[in-house]
Structures are given as structure tokens and as C-alpha cells.
Amino acid sequence: EFEAFLEHGSRVMHMSQQITEVVTSVVWPVETNPSAGTVRMRDLDKPWLEDALRETRMENKKDEEVLGEKLVFNLAKQTSKGLKESLGVHCEMTNVANVVRLAIRNENRTAAEIDDMSNGDEVRRAREVLKAVRQFNLR
């Protein structure tokens, strides 16, 4: 197009623009400045995002599990150290971690559901320990 412009001047450019307008029958509307999230919402159900969203969900689930374990062990380590330093009671960190993990696993259960469990008393004690541990969480 630039060579045609050099040879014939601006008259050619106007003619070529008219021709493309006539030949083009499909007009694709282009949103010049879409509001926040509209493009993402439009693309959410498209096939090119399915794999990426699935991978993101799997990574998030794995990360939540890792963070949960880190929380359990940090609370257990802090509790074990606190019991030893303040009361002189030696309690293994792994034992405390098992109790805290049991309490967190059953944290959202109702009293009736806990009564129906075979280890209901143990779960109740674990929940009390978790409550005490969380009250003195120094992090």
C-alpha cells in the first residue's frame, strides 16, 4: 500500500479504504476499554481456560493442605516449648500436633455429631486443647 501511495498519491489510499469497507461484510465490535472483569467473565466458560483453571484449583488445594500442616506443627511446637519453659512439663511436639490435627479435622461438627462418634470424648478434649492453644498463639 505504501508503494502505491508513493506512485499515485493519496487518491489511491482513499480508494483502497473504500474497497476494504465494501469487501468486509462481518463487523466485529471491539470494546476499546472494557470495565474490570468483563473479559475474564466472558472467557471463563471457554475451552482454553479449562485446563488452567483446573490446574489452579489443584495447586490451591495442595497449598491449603501444606499450609494447614504448617499451622498444626507451628502451634504444636509453640505449645510444647511453652509447656516445657513455663510449667516444666515435657510433651512431645508430635503428640500435641496429633491432638491439634484431630481437633481441626472435627472443628465444624456439632455436639450431636461428636456424641455419635466412637472417639467423641477424645475429640471434645482435643477441641478444648485447640481452643487453649489458639488463645496463646504468639504468631
Side-chain angles (χ1 to χ4, degrees):
E1 291 181 346
F2 184 67
E3 293 172 357
F5 174 73
L6 291 176
E7 286 183 26
H8 303 288
S10 65
R11 177 171 43 90
V12 172
M13 294 303 287
H14 295 297
M15 289 173 52
S16 67
Q17 287 174 354
Q18 291 173 356
I19 292 170
T20 57
E21 290 174 2
V22 173
V23 172
T24 308
S25 61
V26 178
V27 177
W28 296 96
V30 176
E31 201 173 351
T32 57
N33 190 11
S35 59
T38 55
V39 176
R40 175 79 171 159
M41 292 303 296
R42 200 170 38 219
D43 289 348
L44 270 179
D45 60 343
K46 303 296 187 243
W48 59 81
L49 273 183
E50 288 177 5
D51 288 337
L53 291 175
R54 183 176 41 77
E55 288 176 11
T56 302
R57 281 192 298 270
M58 289 183 343
E59 288 175 3
N60 286 345
K61 185 177 179 183
K62 209 182 305 181
D63 290 344
E64 285 176 7
E65 292 171 0
V66 169
L67 285 175
E69 281 300 308
K70 285 183 179 181
L71 172 70
V72 166
F73 278 107
N74 283 337
L75 287 173
K77 184 172 28 171
Q78 174 181 307
T79 303
S80 173
K81 185 177 178 182
L83 286 172
K84 182 158 180 103
E85 290 178 0
S86 63
L87 299 176
V89 177
H90 177 70
C91 188
E92 286 291 324
M93 182 189 79
T94 54
N95 293 339
V96 178
N98 289 335
V99 171
V100 169
R101 192 178 296 113
L102 176 66
I104 288 176
R105 216 179 299 133
N106 297 301
E107 193 171 25
N108 296 323
R109 294 186 188 253
T110 62
E113 291 174 336
I114 292 174
D115 290 337
D116 294 338
M117 295 173 67
S118 61
N119 62 345
D121 293 332
E122 187 179 346
V123 171
R124 267 193 215 85
R125 285 192 301 268
R127 288 174 74 174
E128 289 176 20
V129 168
L130 178 65
K131 183 179 177 183
V133 167
R134 282 186 173 161
Q135 283 178 348
F136 296 102
N137 184 9
L138 301 177
R139 297 184 196 277

